[in-house]
Amino acid sequence: MGGSPSPPAAPLGLAFFQSEHTTQYSLPAAASIIVALPVVALHLFLQRHFISGMLSGAVKA
């Protein structure tokens, strides 16, 4: 408690790219890709585990 403030969450951080009168769409688009890239990479890496878990849970005993 009382330490340095934590960085904002991704949607709030993306909102900082928007100003009152103008929006540069290239900066939020690039930041969105950077935010989504680790999630997509993790899904691709663990995809076989997701599929095997879904199939094993779908078997009726």
Side-chain angles (χ1 to χ4, degrees), residues 12-32:
L12 183 60
L14 291 174
F16 286 134
F17 286 111
Q18 185 176 5
S19 67
E20 186 177 345
H21 298 291
T22 61
T23 300
Q24 292 182 346
Y25 291 107
S26 59
L27 293 176
S32 298

Side-chain angles (χ1 to χ4, degrees), residues 5-55:
S6 62
L12 183 60
L14 291 174
F16 286 134
F17 286 111
Q18 185 176 5
S19 67
E20 186 177 345
H21 298 291
T22 61
T23 300
Q24 292 182 346
Y25 291 107
S26 59
L27 293 176
S32 298
I33 291 173
I34 291 172
V35 167
L37 197 60
V39 177
V40 171
L42 185 67
H43 176 72
L44 291 175
F45 183 70
L46 297 175
Q47 184 175 8
R48 80 174 62 132
H49 297 289
F50 292 144
I51 298 299
S52 66
M54 285 188 291
L55 290 177

